[in-house]
Amino acid sequence: MAHRPLWQQFRDGDWPPFLELLKRVRMNGCAWVAVAFCLWPLLIPALAYPLARSARRQARATFPPHVHHSLSDPEVVRVQKIRAVVALVASFLILVLYGTESDLAEMQGQYLLRLTITPWLLLLTAPLVIMVLLRLAPEAARPGMRARLRPAVRSALIYFGAFTAVPLLFMGTKLVVETLQSSLYGPFLAIPALAPPVWMLFFVCFASATLVRSAFGTAAVHAALPALLTGVLVWELAVVNLAMTGMPPGPPVIQICALICGPASVSAVAWWEIGRLRTMYGITLRGE
């Protein structure tokens, strides 16, 4: 059986083992020695790949995508992609027309801030939205919703345990490296000491791709929960960005539009998605 191209394997999620990757690269032994000595920075991703592959497999085993994904509506997915592209183009144009170098640095900081704070906002927001849905649901439907909530809570606890372990492991590794600096073998032991925190970081990143987008699998509790959480979360992120970095660049009208139109469009798409759940699947906020 012929090997599939590497890009197809990565696209399908079938990451090949590291040795198989090396076999695809046609180089003799002397060339590998030259690469090792002259292009040694390339060894860093080479060493990180097995950790990333292992962490990805464990993340998919712990949080299977097919379990945590909600009902897939192709029309909703298409509109979400169009909205995301329009928002990206609008942000780029505002930055090009009115931005400065400091604004570019702030945009990069905002992206990192969202990556860091989104899971925690979701953890704080989800219980409030779930309580509202439980209040809206009929009395007879509440026990079933509470029972389906337990796997989502378990997933959230595992995820945030791993999320919290990342900085703790890095701090522990830093202490180990500082202790071994005076040792003759310290530099050689520093790289293996980095393996646990790097593996955990990869695990959190791959788990985030499944859990944050699916709101920790809360669609099992109610199919409209991911859309509701998205609609609320985007406004919370807008407030956090405003408090941390201030208004976007540009004239006042552009600033207000950039501040409001993004979360407003996300909320509009989320509400439209909830409407399609009602019309196509008979799922309402007051009960399924």
Side-chain angles (χ1 to χ4, degrees):
M1 181 179 178
H3 286 293
R4 289 179 298 159
L6 283 177
W7 67 270
Q8 287 187 357
Q9 289 186 254
F10 282 102
R11 182 198 62 185
D12 298 337
D14 183 20
W15 288 27
F18 183 64
L19 291 179
E20 183 178 331
L21 283 179
L22 293 181
K23 291 178 182 178
R24 300 287 187 95
V25 181
R26 297 180 179 178
M27 294 174 60
N28 57 36
C30 295
W32 279 116
V33 173
V35 169
F37 279 95
C38 300
L39 302 177
W40 62 266
L42 294 178
L43 294 176
I44 297 176
L47 293 174
Y49 177 80
L51 294 176
R53 183 173 181 269
S54 171
R56 181 182 177 277
R57 293 181 64 182
Q58 188 60 44
R60 292 176 69 88
T62 307
F63 311 111
H66 67 277
V67 174
H68 291 86
H69 284 174
S70 57
L71 291 173
S72 180
D73 188 337
E75 188 67 17
V76 171
V77 173
R78 186 179 69 85
V79 172
Q80 288 173 339
K81 290 181 178 179
I82 293 174
R83 194 221 69 84
V85 171
V86 171
L88 183 63
V89 171
S91 299
F92 177 76
L93 289 177
I94 291 174
L95 187 64
V96 169
L97 295 175
Y98 306 107
T100 61
E101 291 184 5
S102 61
D103 293 322
L104 179 60
E106 285 184 1
M107 178 172 288
Q108 295 172 347
Q110 287 180 10
Y111 179 74
L112 293 175
L113 177 66
R114 288 188 179 187
L115 288 179
T116 304
I117 202 172
T118 296
W120 297 102
L121 284 178
L122 190 57
L123 180 67
L124 297 174
T125 303
L128 300 177
V129 177
I130 290 172
M131 283 193 297
V132 172
L133 274 181
L134 286 173
R135 294 283 296 179
L136 291 174
E139 189 70 30
R142 293 175 187 175
M145 293 176 67
R146 293 192 184 98
R148 294 194 299 271
L149 181 60
R150 295 190 188 100
V153 173
R154 184 168 58 252
S155 296
L157 291 176
I158 296 174
Y159 175 83
F160 281 99
F163 196 92
T164 306
V166 171
L168 296 178
L169 287 172
F170 271 109
M171 287 190 293
T173 301
K174 182 180 178 182
L175 292 175
V176 171
V177 171
E178 290 176 350
T179 304
L180 295 174
Q181 278 181 347
S182 58
S183 172
L184 177 63
Y185 303 103
F188 300 98
L189 296 175
I191 294 178
L194 279 171
V198 171
W199 187 93
M200 189 63 71
L201 179 62
F202 281 130
F203 177 84
V204 169
C205 291
F206 289 121
S208 298
T210 297
L211 290 181
V212 175
R213 285 188 303 177
S214 65
F216 299 106
T218 52
V221 181
H222 194 292
L225 254 178
L228 282 174
L229 288 171
T230 300
V232 175
L233 189 64
V234 71
W235 288 102
E236 294 174 341
L237 286 172
V239 172
V240 171
N241 285 335
L242 180 63
M244 297 293 292
T245 61
M247 294 292 287
V253 175
I254 299 295
Q255 289 179 329
I256 294 174
C257 290
L259 182 66
I260 295 178
C261 290
S265 61
V266 172
S267 297
V269 172
W271 192 250
W272 174 67
E273 179 182 356
I274 293 172
R276 286 181 64 86
L277 287 174
R278 182 180 63 252
T279 56
M280 297 185 65
Y281 302 100
I283 299 173
T284 65
L285 293 179
R286 293 186 175 275
E288 299 187 58

